Amino acid sequence: MLDAVPQPLKSSPPLASDGFLVCGLGSLGQNCVANLKSFGVPVHAINNTLPDQWEVPHLRHLIDHLEIGDCRSAEVLEKAGIRQCRAVLLVTQDERVNLEAALTARVLNPKVRLVMRSDKQNLNDLMKQQLQNFVAFEPTQLAAPAFALGAFGEELIGYFSLDGHRFQVVKQRLELGHRWCDRRQIHELETGHRRVLCHTPVEIDPARVAVSPSTLFYRWLPDTLLRPDDEVVLIECDAHLRWSGTGPQGPSLPGESPKPLRRGVFKGLRRAIARLRDWPALRQDLFSLGQPSAGGQLRQVAILCGITVLALCLVGTLLLDANAPDDLSLFQAFLYTFVTLFGGYGDVYTALENFDHPRLLQTFGVVLTVAGAAFVGVLYALLTEKLLTLRFEFRERRPPVPEKDHVVVIWLGRVGRYVLAALQELNQPVVGISSHGLDADVLPQVPLLTGDVTAALDRANLATAKSVVAVSEDEIQNLEMGLLAHRLNPHCRAIIRTYDQQFTDRVAQIFPFAQVLCASALSAEAFAGAAFGEQVIGLFRLYDQTVLITQYQIEPGDTLVGLLLSEVAYGYGVVPLWHQPQGQPGKIMPSDDIRLQPGDRLVVLGTISGLRRIEQRQMAPRTWHIHLEKALTADALFDGAAEIARLSGYRLGDAREFMTQLPGTLPLPLYRHQALRLSRLLTRAQVKAKVVPPPA
């Protein structure tokens, strides 16, 4: 439960040179502290008041020193140990405070790394150009893809772009008769554009589960034969989206709105004709004109004014005809009354100057003039409203609401708009629901329903929807919408946005049908990773864990310098996606036998634990060996030595000498995946080899 009891401040000695400072202990700041402490580094914090609630259990005991004050103050930053900091995370909810604190921190410590929370993209780019060692994120922008992919379905898990290449993470359950079933081993799925991330067999054999430093990656064995009902997670590059969203008429590609729009117009016309034939429904519509509503109040006033004006015209005509001279016809009496009604009181009674006007008739003329002025005002207001409505309808021309297999996004704030844009990019039919209208140039190709959110759910075809995403600023309201959507459509996926990790865990436990995502917890992992100097490109969720797409710029003395990519992958539990030597083109899905050098650029998939292992040089031990019996041909001696040197990092001269002394066991230990791959390549090179497990 939430710890709401204020605790005394902890004092500590000044930060070491590798310490971290977090400014702002809101939801994001607390999660940042928790992630930084998982790296085993000292963490100090600044907040303007003592936090009332701790979202992360025992977090107050993890903070080495909490300073109460304004993080923009140089004195407060000094007390928090800014001069000994390696990085400062500025994550308050006020962007101005973050910016001022960042500038003050840089003045006090020119070498400190600044990680700032800000959604002003132009300012962030300009600041990055002017300030070295600076990065800025917007938490909602980081977390939005996770909401979109959760709504898209279980097949597509991740989707991002890198240097003009499109990557997608997909999950596939193999059905009986699939071309891979009982024919392919897992390593055969890997190509120059595809890597295997996870494999879940229908029946788990403990002997076939590999030991890995990662709880996600490399827990499968490359020589495992794929079976029906096995589940594999793959990452593919530049592959066509196999699960593009389809509407009632098939894939909805950009620019194909005329056909659905035209069909929607004809369908609406047919419904209107059917409505006219339905007398009970028509009577109900007529009766509803008299009911108060936000959109019909002005029309009701106009109808009332019209009836009043007609009645006044009739009464005025009869009064004037009864009291006027005999030569004044009934039609002339109507004209005089009409002119009086619209402001011609003086003109009419000047024309009738020889007429002895009764006081009643003169008073009624004044009433006509006032009523006419009021009617003209209402008429102008009604015409203005109608013209504006027609103008906006003409500008928007939004497509109709999809009939089935669509995603309903409720509340179109910043996160909601990000989610809609991401789903549109995936060709997924969507509909947005907002309590107020959007400008015509905001997501113009998205069907939009406005007004009361609960009432709009019925018009959103929720009964046939694929998913509902509730992303308002109120997590209780999001939960309410998620539960309501599940009641109306039990087969609908409910994606709920929350802000408190403990609340998230409770809701997810009690309502297993809902996918509950805490935006602060998702983003905090990216902020923590960036604090160590890495660039977090994006993130996605895989088996309830956050996977960070992280870029490393290899520098002299870095923990990655001189390592083979196989050692990086299997030793740290990350998946290399992109490698670019300095001054050369990059390569997707690089080979395991590449050795990293200073100046190289490397992009990997990894959890926060994987980034921590890289930061702390915590490589898994290499415990497997290769035993070579003999080379079947003379060429096999040379080819086998080349393969050993390339895949294991063994010196080529030593490898050739070793090949002349077969049989023997390679003295260099390897990782299991590395050893299995080397064994396959040696067998292909006509060298008899087998993998030797570590001693029990």
Side-chain angles (χ1 to χ4, degrees):
M1 58 185 297
L2 293 176
D3 191 344
V5 180
Q7 299 293 325
L9 303 184
K10 292 175 59 179
S11 61
S12 68
L15 283 172
S17 59
D18 62 345
F20 293 80
L21 176 61
V22 177
C23 297
L25 288 180
S27 179
L28 177 60
Q30 292 187 34
N31 281 282
C32 285
V33 171
N35 281 284
L36 289 171
K37 290 304 293 185
S38 70
F39 283 76
V41 297
V43 178
H44 286 195
I46 299 175
N47 204 50
N48 54 0
T49 60
L50 192 64
D52 295 328
Q53 296 178 336
W54 298 96
E55 295 186 11
V56 180
H58 312 297
L59 183 68
R60 70 182 186 276
H61 302 300
L62 300 179
I63 300 176
D64 295 277
H65 176 73
L66 175 58
E67 189 70 32
I68 300 299
D70 190 343
C71 60
R72 296 171 292 182
S73 168
E75 181 182 357
V76 173
L77 288 171
E78 289 274 15
K79 291 181 179 179
I82 181 63
R83 295 189 185 275
Q84 292 78 37
C85 276
R86 174 178 174 178
V88 178
L89 285 75
L90 305 127
V91 291
T92 74
Q93 295 183 350
D94 191 327
E95 294 184 359
R96 181 182 180 87
V97 171
N98 294 337
L99 179 58
E100 292 183 23
L103 297 177
T104 306
R106 178 51 59 87
V107 170
L108 297 175
N109 185 349
K111 296 182 179 179
V112 71
R113 179 167 177 80
L114 301 174
V115 183
M116 189 175 77
R117 174 182 184 173
S118 172
D119 69 341
K120 294 180 171 56
Q121 190 59 48
N122 290 336
L123 176 62
N124 297 343
D125 295 338
L126 293 172
M127 290 285 290
K128 189 173 182 179
Q129 293 174 6
Q130 298 298 322
L131 298 179
Q132 299 297 322
N133 212 10
F134 172 88
V135 64
F137 294 115
E138 166 50 37
T140 57
Q141 188 173 2
L142 283 172
F147 290 98
L149 291 168
F152 188 81
E154 296 183 353
E155 298 91 352
L156 185 64
I157 297 174
Y159 181 74
F160 58 94
S161 296
L162 180 62
D163 280 24
H165 297 275
R166 184 181 63 184
F167 291 82
Q168 61 183 29
V169 181
V170 296
K171 181 195 297 183
Q172 188 171 5
R173 183 169 294 278
L174 305 183
E175 299 178 355
L176 184 64
H178 193 280
R179 66 181 187 279
W180 293 344
C181 290
D182 300 317
R183 299 178 182 176
R184 296 287 185 91
Q185 295 180 347
I186 295 180
H187 73 87
E188 295 179 300
L189 303 185
E190 299 195 325
T191 66
H193 290 79
R194 181 170 59 206
R195 287 287 184 272
V196 177
L197 299 183
C198 306
H199 170 248
T200 305
V202 63
E203 295 181 359
I204 298 178
D205 182 0
R208 303 297 299 172
V209 177
V211 176
S212 172
S214 171
T215 57
L216 276 179
F217 308 129
Y218 308 118
R219 298 184 61 81
W220 42 269
L221 294 179
D223 57 349
T224 300
L225 187 66
L226 293 168
R227 301 289 187 182
D229 291 329
D230 282 6
E231 187 174 86
V232 291
V233 179
L234 310 168
I235 182 166
E236 302 173 335
C237 180
D238 295 330
H240 176 67
L241 271 177
R242 293 176 288 172
W243 293 285
S244 296
T246 57
Q249 292 82 32
S252 53
L253 301 176
E256 290 189 347
S257 58
K259 289 183 180 179
L261 184 61
R262 189 179 302 117
R263 292 179 184 179
V265 170
F266 287 125
K267 185 179 296 184
L269 183 59
R270 288 196 299 269
R271 289 178 179 175
I273 295 174
R275 193 79 170 178
L276 290 175
R277 295 176 178 176
D278 187 356
W279 167 244
L282 183 60
R283 183 175 56 186
Q284 180 66 26
D285 291 341
L286 293 175
F287 176 75
S288 65
L289 290 176
Q291 302 300 318
S293 64
Q297 289 181 353
L298 189 58
R299 294 182 181 86
Q300 293 174 18
V301 173
I303 294 173
L304 181 61
C305 287
I307 295 173
T308 303
V309 166
L310 290 177
L312 290 174
C313 278
L314 178 61
V315 173
T317 301
L318 294 177
L319 282 177
L320 191 59
D321 181 66
N323 294 277
D326 295 337
D327 58 346
L328 187 68
S329 66
L330 183 63
F331 180 70
Q332 287 177 317
F334 169 76
L335 291 180
Y336 283 139
T337 303
F338 189 81
V339 172
T340 304
L341 182 65
F342 288 97
Y345 180 87
D347 297 333
V348 169
Y349 286 92
T350 299
L352 299 175
E353 57 182 354
N354 297 323
F355 171 55
D356 184 17
H357 313 299
R359 288 186 179 274
L360 177 62
L361 195 58
Q362 294 180 14
T363 303
F364 189 75
V366 174
V367 172
L368 285 177
T369 302
V370 174
F375 175 73
V376 169
V378 173
L379 182 62
Y380 283 162
L382 184 62
L383 290 175
T384 302
E385 183 208 30
K386 190 62 178 177
L387 288 174
L388 289 175
T389 302
L390 290 175
R391 178 170 175 260
F392 285 123
E393 288 180 353
F394 178 76
R395 288 180 59 190
E396 291 179 10
R397 291 193 176 275
R398 295 184 181 272
V401 176
E403 294 185 355
K404 62 179 180 178
D405 296 330
H406 55 287
V407 175
V408 181
V409 180
I410 307 175
W411 287 289
L412 304 186
R414 187 180 300 162
V415 177
R417 291 195 294 269
Y418 276 132
V419 171
L420 283 175
L423 290 172
Q424 272 198 308
E425 187 178 359
L426 297 172
N427 296 330
Q428 169 64 53
V430 293
V431 58
I433 296 179
S434 177
S435 58
H436 57 276
L438 298 180
D439 293 338
D441 56 348
V442 176
L443 300 170
Q445 298 302 318
V446 173
L448 180 64
L449 299 175
T450 59
D452 182 73
V453 175
T454 305
L457 285 175
D458 294 332
R459 295 181 285 142
N461 296 329
L462 184 61
T464 55
K466 177 181 182 180
S467 304
V468 168
V469 184
V471 287
S472 77
E473 302 295 330
D474 186 343
E475 59 186 356
I476 302 300
Q477 203 171 36
N478 295 336
L479 176 60
E480 178 188 358
M481 290 298 104
L483 296 178
L484 178 60
H486 180 71
R487 187 184 70 180
L488 298 176
N489 182 358
H491 303 290
C492 180
R493 297 168 61 88
I495 316 299
I496 300 174
R497 177 189 183 187
T498 60
Y499 299 90
D500 182 328
Q501 187 58 51
Q502 291 193 10
F503 180 77
T504 301
D505 296 338
R506 292 167 185 158
V507 173
Q509 184 177 4
I510 297 175
F511 306 109
F513 59 84
Q515 187 171 350
V516 191
L517 300 177
C518 178
S520 299
L522 289 173
S523 305
E525 298 190 20
F527 277 83
F532 288 92
E534 323 312 340
Q535 181 180 352
V536 178
I537 300 174
L539 56 84
F540 59 89
R541 297 282 290 176
L542 176 59
Y543 292 130
D544 297 325
Q545 295 191 52
T546 302
V547 179
L548 303 173
I549 305 133
T550 308
Q551 175 178 291
Y552 289 89
Q553 196 69 39
I554 312 299
E555 299 178 355
D558 201 301
T559 59
L560 301 177
V561 170
L563 296 180
L564 295 173
L565 282 186
S566 57
E567 296 173 321
V568 174
Y570 310 130
Y572 291 127
V574 297
V575 181
L577 295 182
W578 177 272
H579 174 254
Q580 183 175 7
Q582 188 174 19
Q584 299 182 29
K587 181 175 178 57
I588 57 174
M589 310 297 182
S591 175
D592 284 352
D593 54 359
I594 294 176
R595 191 176 295 275
L596 296 174
Q597 302 296 335
D600 288 3
R601 176 184 170 217
L602 178 66
V603 180
V604 302
L605 295 182
T607 62
I608 193 70
S609 300
L611 303 189
R612 181 180 67 242
R613 286 188 292 269
I614 294 176
E615 172 68 20
Q616 299 175 347
R617 299 175 184 258
Q618 294 180 351
M619 293 187 69
R622 288 170 284 191
T623 57
W624 291 73
H625 288 80
I626 289 286
H627 181 77
L628 284 72
E629 296 181 2
K630 63 179 180 178
L632 301 180
T633 65
D635 292 339
L637 292 173
F638 296 96
D639 294 340
E643 294 291 0
I644 291 174
R646 182 170 65 88
L647 269 71
S648 67
Y650 207 43
R651 290 183 64 251
L652 182 60
D654 294 340
R656 288 177 176 172
E657 181 179 354
F658 172 76
M659 290 295 294
T660 61
Q661 301 175 2
L662 299 184
T665 299
L666 190 68
L668 186 67
L670 304 172
Y671 293 109
R672 189 173 186 178
H673 285 71
Q674 191 181 14
L676 289 170
R677 180 173 179 235
L678 179 56
S679 175
R680 293 195 303 270
L681 293 178
L682 288 173
T683 301
R684 190 180 303 170
Q686 301 296 308
V687 178
K688 296 187 66 175
K690 65 178 181 179
V691 177
V692 179

